[in-house]
Amino acid sequence: MTPCSALQAAQVLATAAEGAHVTPGQAAAAMIAGSRGATVPTHLERSLRKAIENARTPPLAAARAAPLPGRRRTEEALAEFRRCRSRLTASPSDEKARRAVDAAADTLCVLLGRTSVHDAVVAAEQRLASPG
């Protein structure tokens, strides 16, 4: 339910599993069962919420130290992400399109110093809307 790339989702799941002292496979199985109505163990749910929150919160030092990307580079990265996302929407089972979205999302996140795709898109839009 949190917008992110497949790589980020795997990292969040691994972090949550480590915090709950279970394997990533056990954590994934519990999440799948939870999506089907089963009760997710409280310790795993707490660990997952914490992992998601940590993934959404950029480190303060990195956020302050990162220079803003140029407008042109920001526009290119955002346009590429949107092109890839449109291609995936048109062909949801296309693995090549899925990998392209993940790569474009990762690029956007790194470029804008954000840890979630949603935050990176918002930051890119704000960057492009600001003067200069």
Side-chain angles (χ1 to χ4, degrees), residues 34-49:
S35 72
R36 295 180 179 148
T39 302
V40 176
T42 304
H43 69 286
L44 179 56
E45 188 172 344
R46 250 182 283 172
S47 185
L48 182 63
R49 288 182 193 279

Side-chain angles (χ1 to χ4, degrees), residues 4 6-28 31 43-57 115:
C4 64
L7 176 62
Q8 289 169 322
Q11 290 169 337
V12 167
L13 183 67
T15 301
E18 184 178 325
H21 306 291
V22 298
T23 67
Q26 291 169 322
M31 294 297 111
H43 69 286
L44 179 56
E45 188 172 344
R46 250 182 283 172
S47 185
L48 182 63
R49 288 182 193 279
K50 185 176 179 181
I52 290 170
E53 182 61 32
N54 288 341
R56 286 181 173 171
T57 307
T115 57

